[in-house]
Amino acid sequence: FLGPNYQPIDDLRIMDGIATLPAALLDEYRFTHVELTETTSIFTAVHSAGHVVGDDEELHPGFCLRNSEVGAAPVSLDDYFVNIRCLNGLVTKVGDKRSLYRRHGAIDDDVLHTALVTAIARLPKRWSEELVIIGRAAAIDVEHPDSEVELAFAGSGIARHLVEAAQQEVLRAGDRTRWGVAQAITWAAHRVNQNPDVRFEMERLAGECLAGT
């Protein structure tokens, strides 16, 4: 059910806004995924420059742009990291603030364009803070990582078999840090799950797990 003030923000308007961004903002990005479901559109891009976390984890930062023309999800642009070794993705944030989050309603093209420019321009500063959090998480041992996985999924409504797959993976992989817990969740999101919207939610939950570090 949609409220009386609902007005869809079409994907075309968002893509037109992206296309008119200054070249300096987008030249270093490469779009890696475009996924269209019955209710949402998800566009993922990563930066060409990587960052090493721990001994051998190379992460490439970027953004995940999500929209729904039928009101199932707001327009959102989230900070995103891809682990080059396994190609799993992770949605992150600084504190409680997402890069861009706007419910559907009347919005001028100029206002939408400004919101996109602002969100993408401030990503590098946000990544630097999030990399510190990831580094801390990689140094924090967890006594029972499978229990931490369970806690990360609490109240999410994610299917039980996906929770159990992440628990099995964190024990198999042997990384008993909070970073290892997040990695196991994203592994299940990409390797066991097939639904892009569920994957986005699992990637977001993994980021919430890190944010609690």
Side-chain angles (χ1 to χ4, degrees):
F1 295 93
L2 302 172
N5 296 324
Y6 171 80
Q7 290 187 33
I9 302 174
D10 295 337
D11 287 346
L12 180 59
R13 292 181 64 194
I14 295 173
M15 289 298 104
D16 282 346
I18 291 287
T20 58
L21 294 181
L25 282 182
L26 286 180
D27 278 351
E28 298 300 321
Y29 290 94
R30 299 294 180 268
F31 279 89
T32 58
H33 290 92
V34 176
E35 298 172 300
L36 308 177
T37 73
E38 292 183 353
T39 57
T40 60
S41 307
I42 301 174
F43 308 92
T44 305
V46 297
H47 199 274
S48 58
H51 301 265
V52 176
V53 174
D55 295 331
D56 59 355
E57 302 280 1
E58 183 179 351
L59 305 181
H60 280 247
F63 62 84
C64 181
L65 177 62
R66 186 170 183 247
N67 185 41
S68 172
E69 296 181 321
V70 296
V75 179
S76 63
L77 190 146
D78 289 286
D79 311 7
Y80 199 76
F81 284 90
V82 170
N83 189 325
I84 293 302
R85 185 175 66 180
C86 58
L87 299 182
N88 295 340
L90 172 72
V91 173
T92 58
K93 64 180 181 179
V94 175
D96 292 329
K97 295 183 180 295
R98 298 170 74 171
S99 288
L100 173 64
Y101 185 90
R102 186 180 180 96
R103 297 190 182 279
H104 288 257
I107 182 173
D108 292 335
D109 286 342
D110 288 344
V111 176
L112 180 60
H113 174 265
T114 299
L116 289 168
V117 169
T118 302
I120 294 178
R122 64 188 176 192
L123 284 174
K125 183 178 184 300
R126 292 170 62 89
W127 297 334
S128 64
E129 297 180 45
E130 290 154 355
L131 284 166
V132 171
I133 294 173
I134 292 173
R136 289 174 180 166
I140 295 177
D141 289 328
V142 177
E143 185 175 0
H144 299 291
D146 53 333
S147 298
E148 289 293 323
V149 169
E150 184 84 35
L151 185 61
F153 282 105
S156 67
I158 297 295
R160 187 65 203 172
H161 77 280
L162 295 174
V163 179
E164 292 175 350
Q167 289 177 309
Q168 294 167 7
E169 173 62 16
V170 76
L171 295 176
R172 184 204 65 79
D175 185 346
R176 304 178 71 88
T177 66
R178 186 171 290 273
W179 171 240
V181 171
Q183 289 273 76
I185 294 172
T186 60
W187 178 90
H190 285 257
R191 305 303 173 84
V192 182
N193 161 69
Q194 301 297 321
N195 186 315
D197 291 317
V198 172
R199 181 167 65 246
F200 175 85
E201 181 62 14
M202 292 177 70
E203 291 174 336
R204 190 189 65 78
L205 290 172
E208 292 282 356
C209 176
L210 292 181
T213 299

